[in-house]
Amino acid sequence: MHKASLERVNDELLRRWRIDVLRHSEPLGLGLWEMQIPPGTDVTPHEHEHAFFCTLLGGWFESDYGSRTIEFGSLGNVFHPAGTAHTSRVGPSGARLLTVVASPRWLERAEREDNLPRQPVPLGRDDGAARRLLRELRGAMPCSLLAIEGLALELLAAASRAPHREPGNPAWLSRAVEFLHAEFHRTLTLADVAKLSGTSASRLSSTFKRQFGRSVGDYQRDLRVSFVRDRLQSDEPLVEIALAAGFADQAHCTRVFKRLTGQTPGVYRAQARIQARGGRRQGLPRARAAQSRP
């Protein structure tokens, strides 16, 4: 993409893309945005002034950065450094996104350690931080500012730990992550992942835990839960979703899902439908002007 031909994201551009801002807040130097993009939207080439995180909450969304394409439908949460340029495609059911715009002050500590990716990088399935931020955005609660600050730091730590193909970050680790995302539904052993990645099981185990703060098995489990969470937007039977995610049966899926999210799949689906109906009844306000847009 040629920088000279790119538009900077602003209020007028959002209106042209027909993006509806459901909620917006700017606490503590962060920009929190919950947005709905209708099906068929042509997200033309553009760039972002500030670094931001983008999490897919529902639907399907894909961004093309020139050197690579990232499908949010399977990867969920992506960190974008300042100056990111890209185009995007929206699925047939549209896309609902949460973006967290980080001011330079938020990035100073991580950048001093030279740990942040210089290119957009998927952080894997959302492990809960972004969705908890969304709850704080939807309704202020006691200690909301403390909660928002802590959750934003969780996202920043995840970006700092993400394998992003830079010097000192082994290529086999990126291969392991890509393999896990593609095959999370399969019954895998550590030896399976290590062999296909081109390293030893012991090296994979120690390096993976150091980079991501969790084991390979925990990472695969989180991918399965996020897959279930996405498929709960449909009317597909719970047992079929559980089996497609790789769980032994629906009961196994329910136990793991509740342990990680605090809700059973049935309750999660019911609440998602209530929220969707509420959004349609209330109507969706148009984007408001601001200095920095997601």
Side-chain angles (χ1 to χ4, degrees), residues 149-172:
E149 184 173 22
L151 293 168
L153 289 173
E154 282 188 38
L155 291 175
L156 194 59
S160 298
R161 292 169 176 164
H164 43 269
R165 300 182 185 275
E166 292 185 2
N169 189 15
W172 58 258

Side-chain angles (χ1 to χ4, degrees), residues 227-228 237-254:
F227 172 87
V228 171
L238 294 178
V239 63
E240 293 182 11
I241 295 175
L243 295 176
F247 290 106
D249 50 36
Q250 183 177 337
H252 179 210
C253 174
T254 297

Side-chain angles (χ1 to χ4, degrees), residues 84-96:
T84 294
H86 63 109
T87 62
S88 297
R89 293 195 304 123
V90 184
S93 60
R96 188 162 56 91

Side-chain angles (χ1 to χ4, degrees), residues 161-204:
R161 292 169 176 164
H164 43 269
R165 300 182 185 275
E166 292 185 2
N169 189 15
W172 58 258
L173 185 58
S174 294
R175 289 195 294 270
V177 172
E178 290 172 2
F179 177 69
L180 286 169
H181 279 281
E183 305 294 340
F184 67 88
H185 57 284
R186 287 177 47 191
T187 299
L188 300 172
T189 66
L190 192 63
D192 292 332
V193 181
K195 181 179 180 180
L196 287 163
S197 304
T199 189
S200 67
S202 59
R203 189 181 186 193
L204 172 63

